[in-house]
Amino acid sequence: MAICVAAVTAVSINTAFARSEKGKQPNFLIISVDDVSWFEHSVYGTSDVPTPNVDRIANEGIRFNNGYVSAPSCAPSRAAMLTGKHFWQLEQGAFMQAFLPKKFATYPLILQENGYETCSVGKNWGPGIAPSRDGHRIGLAGKSYNHHTREDAKKTPYLYPRDYIAGMEQFLAERSADKPFCIWAGIFEPHSPWMKSSEAVSRARSEFGVDVRSLTCDYYDHAQNPAKPQRQPPGYYYEMLHYDRTVKVMLDSLEEKGLLDNTMVIFIGDNGTFVRGDNLSGFELNVSGNRQTPRSKASGYDAGVHVPFFLMWKDRTPGGRIVDDFVSAIDIGPTVLEAAGVPSPEGMSGRSMMKIITSTHSGQVDASRDTMMTGMEFHYENRLLPASRNIRSKRFEYIIHFEHDGEEFYDLENDPWETNTLINNPEYQTEVKRLKEKMKEIGLEEGDPRFTGDM
């Protein structure tokens, strides 16, 4: 891979930045969880789900109010996260059950080829296939330490069977102490199927002292959300408590070993939670004829792509900062590589967040980060929603559904849950036109086949 050879020759030029603070390159812990939207986390003030350990990352680092993934579906979302490219740029990598072509380098492998030791536990990329000739194999997020099985795996089949902590501890014990590291922790929870509600209630009470039946979340307030989204079952919130506990053990382990301060810790959801609700789009979305339609995961709506996104780097950025810039999962790769002093490969569409990280400001730090474009093609075999693209500013959002020629437009300031489309309202046509033109501009610049015609 020529790109990595180039990175090796250029690394000495860039490591001066990475070593400037403490004299050594930083470590990385990237925690990606499944199926959780931003509003499920209490740190945003939209729920009362207790996740104190995830909150620690936000409170002792940066809370991104506008953190997004490229697609509301795990395989394309994670492919984009690992490569620093929009999902639509990744050919087969844009789909579930396909493969991620080898020609798209992943940042853990780039770090690995530039002196970093890597560890991957849990879910890295997929579901998909890994053809030996054209596609990445299992190690695309780093060396796999995913062979430890949880002791109670047979008793709790609804949880991921592998032991994230055991794998991480093995890596930390075996690694070379004089080399920096990158750990990818792909936490499977929260993800269906869920345990029985009675068991979830009992376990949450005995293990965490929490009555999951009493938890509230603004999104599911039926009185204020006309879409009437279905509430999450108790098992969902048990799994949020479970992954928060996992995060605690990971942070504590690094701290006890004296490694946490020089470790950039990133926590992000890979796509939003799965929720159905009434179709309020103004046209038929669901080809099956069901009155309800996906409102989050597997949809282009904000709840599908707007995720919890926190970054803590105790050596380099002050805690307690709240940033309003639009940031994306595709920005993680360029950020990590710049922090490590390793050049990003040509063609990465993500933008390094180091300008934000090294700032001391909250609010809008980088004025150029004022829009976000996401999209989806399909999730598994389902045709619940047509392929779409979505673009949003701080206040407005435009969605196009290609097969149905359907359009939606929302004023998020007054309608945060996207329940009243204003696409035909004459008062908003100037803004509709602006976002449509901006979407086309980004699509052409970033090689989106839906706009270039290269399908």
Coordinates of all heavy atoms in Angstrom, one line a residue, residues 91-132:
E91 N -18.1 2.3 -2.4 CA -18.6 1.3 -3.3 C -19.3 0.2 -2.6 O -20.4 0.5 -1.9 CB -17.3 0.7 -4.1 CG -16.6 1.7 -4.9 CD -15.3 1.3 -5.6 OE1 -15.0 0.0 -5.4 OE2 -14.6 2.1 -6.2
Q92 N -18.9 -1.0 -2.5 CA -19.7 -2.1 -1.8 C -19.8 -1.8 -0.3 O -20.7 -2.2 0.4 CB -19.0 -3.5 -2.0 CG -19.1 -4.0 -3.4 CD -18.0 -3.6 -4.3 OE1 -17.2 -2.7 -4.0 NE2 -17.9 -4.2 -5.5
G93 N -18.8 -1.0 0.2 CA -18.9 -0.6 1.6 C -20.0 0.3 2.0 O -20.2 0.5 3.2
A94 N -20.8 0.7 1.0 CA -22.0 1.5 1.3 C -23.2 0.7 1.7 O -24.2 1.3 2.1 CB -22.3 2.4 0.1
F95 N -23.1 -0.6 1.7 CA -24.2 -1.5 1.9 C -24.0 -2.4 3.1 O -22.9 -2.8 3.4 CB -24.5 -2.3 0.7 CG -24.7 -1.4 -0.5 CD1 -23.7 -1.2 -1.5 CD2 -25.9 -0.7 -0.7 CE1 -23.9 -0.4 -2.6 CE2 -26.1 0.1 -1.8 CZ -25.1 0.2 -2.8
M96 N -25.1 -2.9 3.7 CA -25.1 -4.0 4.6 C -24.9 -5.3 3.8 O -25.3 -5.3 2.6 CB -26.5 -4.1 5.3 CG -26.8 -2.9 6.2 SD -26.0 -3.0 7.8 CE -27.0 -4.2 8.6
Q97 N -24.3 -6.3 4.4 CA -24.1 -7.6 3.8 C -23.3 -7.6 2.5 O -23.3 -8.6 1.8 CB -25.5 -8.2 3.5 CG -26.4 -8.4 4.7 CD -27.8 -8.8 4.4 OE1 -28.4 -8.1 3.6 NE2 -28.3 -9.9 4.9
A98 N -22.5 -6.6 2.3 CA -21.5 -6.6 1.2 C -20.1 -6.7 1.8 O -19.9 -7.4 2.7 CB -21.7 -5.3 0.4
F99 N -19.2 -5.9 1.2 CA -17.8 -6.0 1.8 C -17.2 -4.6 1.6 O -17.6 -3.7 0.8 CB -16.9 -7.1 1.1 CG -16.7 -6.8 -0.4 CD1 -15.6 -6.1 -0.8 CD2 -17.5 -7.4 -1.3 CE1 -15.3 -6.0 -2.2 CE2 -17.3 -7.2 -2.7 CZ -16.2 -6.5 -3.1
L100 N -16.1 -4.4 2.4 CA -15.4 -3.1 2.3 C -14.1 -3.3 1.5 O -13.2 -4.0 2.0 CB -15.1 -2.6 3.7 CG -14.3 -1.3 3.9 CD1 -15.1 -0.2 3.2 CD2 -14.0 -1.0 5.3
P101 N -14.0 -2.7 0.3 CA -12.9 -3.0 -0.5 C -11.5 -2.6 0.2 O -11.4 -1.6 0.9 CB -13.1 -2.1 -1.7 CG -14.6 -2.0 -1.8 CD -15.1 -1.9 -0.4
K102 N -10.5 -3.4 -0.1 CA -9.2 -3.2 0.5 C -8.6 -1.9 0.1 O -7.8 -1.4 0.9 CB -8.3 -4.4 0.1 CG -8.5 -5.7 0.7 CD -7.5 -6.7 0.2 CE -7.8 -8.1 0.8 NZ -6.8 -9.1 0.2
K103 N -9.0 -1.4 -1.0 CA -8.3 -0.1 -1.5 C -8.6 1.0 -0.6 O -7.9 2.1 -0.6 CB -8.7 0.2 -2.9 CG -10.2 0.5 -3.1 CD -10.4 0.8 -4.6 CE -11.9 1.2 -4.9 NZ -12.1 1.4 -6.3
F104 N -9.6 0.9 0.3 CA -9.9 2.0 1.2 C -9.2 1.7 2.6 O -9.6 0.8 3.3 CB -11.4 2.1 1.4 CG -12.2 2.4 0.2 CD1 -13.1 1.5 -0.3 CD2 -11.9 3.5 -0.6 CE1 -13.8 1.8 -1.5 CE2 -12.6 3.8 -1.8 CZ -13.5 2.9 -2.2
A105 N -8.2 2.4 2.8 CA -7.4 2.2 4.0 C -8.2 2.6 5.3 O -9.0 3.5 5.3 CB -6.1 3.0 4.0
T106 N -8.0 1.9 6.4 CA -8.6 2.2 7.7 C -7.5 2.8 8.6 O -6.4 2.4 8.5 CB -9.2 1.0 8.3 OG1 -8.2 0.1 8.7 CG2 -10.2 0.3 7.4
Y107 N -7.9 3.8 9.4 CA -6.9 4.5 10.2 C -6.2 3.6 11.2 O -5.1 3.8 11.5 CB -7.5 5.7 10.9 CG -8.5 5.5 12.0 CD1 -8.1 5.2 13.3 CD2 -9.9 5.6 11.7 CE1 -9.0 5.0 14.3 CE2 -10.8 5.4 12.7 CZ -10.4 5.1 14.0 OH -11.3 4.9 15.0
P108 N -6.9 2.5 11.8 CA -6.1 1.7 12.7 C -5.0 0.9 12.0 O -3.9 0.8 12.6 CB -7.2 0.7 13.2 CG -8.5 1.4 13.1 CD -8.3 2.2 11.9
L109 N -5.2 0.5 10.8 CA -4.2 -0.1 10.0 C -3.1 0.8 9.6 O -1.9 0.4 9.6 CB -4.7 -0.8 8.8 CG -5.7 -2.0 9.1 CD1 -6.1 -2.7 7.8 CD2 -5.2 -3.0 10.1
I110 N -3.4 2.1 9.3 CA -2.4 3.1 9.0 C -1.5 3.3 10.3 O -0.3 3.4 10.2 CB -3.1 4.4 8.5 CG1 -3.8 4.2 7.2 CG2 -2.0 5.5 8.4 CD1 -4.6 5.4 6.8
L111 N -2.2 3.4 11.4 CA -1.4 3.6 12.7 C -0.5 2.4 12.9 O 0.7 2.5 13.3 CB -2.4 3.7 13.9 CG -3.1 5.1 14.0 CD1 -4.1 5.0 15.2 CD2 -2.2 6.2 14.2
Q112 N -1.0 1.2 12.6 CA -0.3 0.0 12.8 C 1.0 -0.1 12.0 O 2.0 -0.5 12.4 CB -1.2 -1.2 12.5 CG -0.6 -2.6 12.9 CD -1.7 -3.7 12.7 OE1 -2.6 -3.8 13.5 NE2 -1.6 -4.4 11.6
E113 N 0.9 0.5 10.8 CA 2.0 0.5 9.9 C 3.0 1.6 10.2 O 4.0 1.8 9.5 CB 1.5 0.5 8.4 CG 0.8 -0.7 8.0 CD 0.5 -0.8 6.5 OE1 1.1 0.0 5.8 OE2 -0.2 -1.7 6.1
N114 N 2.6 2.4 11.1 CA 3.4 3.6 11.5 C 3.8 3.5 13.0 O 4.0 4.5 13.7 CB 2.7 4.9 11.2 CG 2.8 5.2 9.7 OD1 3.7 5.8 9.2 ND2 1.7 4.9 9.0
G115 N 4.0 2.3 13.5 CA 4.6 2.1 14.8 C 3.7 1.9 16.0 O 4.1 1.7 17.1
Y116 N 2.4 2.0 15.7 CA 1.4 1.8 16.8 C 1.1 0.4 16.9 O 1.0 -0.4 16.0 CB 0.1 2.6 16.5 CG 0.0 4.0 17.0 CD1 0.8 5.0 16.4 CD2 -0.7 4.3 18.1 CE1 0.8 6.3 16.9 CE2 -0.8 5.6 18.6 CZ 0.0 6.6 18.0 OH 0.0 7.9 18.4
E117 N 0.8 -0.1 18.2 CA 0.2 -1.4 18.4 C -1.3 -1.2 18.5 O -1.8 -0.2 19.1 CB 0.8 -2.0 19.7 CG 2.3 -2.2 19.6 CD 2.8 -3.2 20.6 OE1 2.0 -3.7 21.5 OE2 4.0 -3.5 20.6
T118 N -2.0 -2.2 17.9 CA -3.5 -2.0 17.8 C -4.2 -3.2 18.4 O -3.7 -4.3 18.5 CB -3.9 -1.9 16.3 OG1 -3.5 -3.1 15.6 CG2 -3.3 -0.7 15.7
C119 N -5.4 -2.9 18.9 CA -6.2 -3.9 19.5 C -7.7 -3.7 19.1 O -8.1 -2.5 19.1 CB -6.1 -3.8 21.0 SG -7.4 -4.7 22.0
S120 N -8.4 -4.7 18.7 CA -9.8 -4.6 18.3 C -10.6 -5.6 19.2 O -10.2 -6.8 19.1 CB -10.0 -4.9 16.8 OG -11.3 -5.0 16.5
V121 N -11.6 -5.2 19.9 CA -12.4 -6.1 20.6 C -13.9 -5.7 20.2 O -14.2 -4.6 19.9 CB -12.3 -5.9 22.2 CG1 -10.9 -6.5 22.6 CG2 -12.5 -4.5 22.7
G122 N -14.8 -6.7 20.3 CA -16.2 -6.5 20.0 C -16.4 -6.3 18.5 O -15.7 -6.9 17.7
K123 N -17.4 -5.5 18.1 CA -17.8 -5.4 16.8 C -17.0 -4.3 16.1 O -17.0 -3.2 16.5 CB -19.3 -5.0 16.7 CG -19.9 -4.8 15.4 CD -21.4 -4.5 15.5 CE -22.1 -4.3 14.2 NZ -23.5 -4.0 14.3
N124 N -16.3 -4.7 15.0 CA -15.6 -3.6 14.3 C -16.3 -3.1 13.1 O -16.7 -2.0 13.0 CB -14.1 -4.0 14.0 CG -14.0 -5.4 13.3 OD1 -14.7 -5.6 12.3 ND2 -13.2 -6.2 13.8
W125 N -16.5 -4.0 12.1 CA -17.3 -3.6 10.9 C -18.2 -4.8 10.6 O -17.9 -5.9 10.8 CB -16.3 -3.3 9.7 CG -17.1 -3.2 8.4 CD1 -17.7 -2.1 8.0 CD2 -17.3 -4.2 7.5 NE1 -18.3 -2.4 6.8 CE2 -18.1 -3.7 6.4 CE3 -16.9 -5.6 7.4 CZ2 -18.5 -4.4 5.3 CZ3 -17.4 -6.3 6.3 CH2 -18.1 -5.7 5.3
G126 N -19.3 -4.5 9.9 CA -20.2 -5.5 9.5 C -21.6 -5.2 10.0 O -21.9 -4.1 10.6
P127 N -22.6 -6.1 9.7 CA -22.4 -7.4 9.1 C -22.2 -7.3 7.6 O -22.7 -6.5 6.9 CB -23.8 -8.1 9.4 CG -24.8 -6.9 9.5 CD -24.0 -5.8 10.1
G128 N -21.3 -8.2 7.2 CA -20.9 -8.3 5.8 C -20.1 -9.5 5.5 O -20.0 -10.4 6.4
I129 N -19.4 -9.5 4.4 CA -18.6 -10.7 4.0 C -17.2 -10.1 3.9 O -16.9 -8.9 3.8 CB -19.0 -11.3 2.7 CG1 -19.1 -10.3 1.6 CG2 -20.4 -11.9 2.9 CD1 -19.4 -10.9 0.2
A130 N -16.2 -11.0 3.9 CA -14.8 -10.6 3.9 C -14.0 -11.4 2.8 O -13.3 -12.3 3.2 CB -14.1 -10.8 5.3
P131 N -14.3 -11.2 1.6 CA -13.6 -11.9 0.5 C -12.1 -11.7 0.5 O -11.6 -10.5 0.7 CB -14.2 -11.4 -0.8 CG -14.7 -10.0 -0.4 CD -15.1 -10.1 1.0
S132 N -11.3 -12.7 0.4 CA -9.8 -12.6 0.6 C -9.2 -11.7 -0.5 O -8.2 -11.1 -0.2 CB -9.2 -14.0 0.6 OG -9.5 -14.7 -0.5

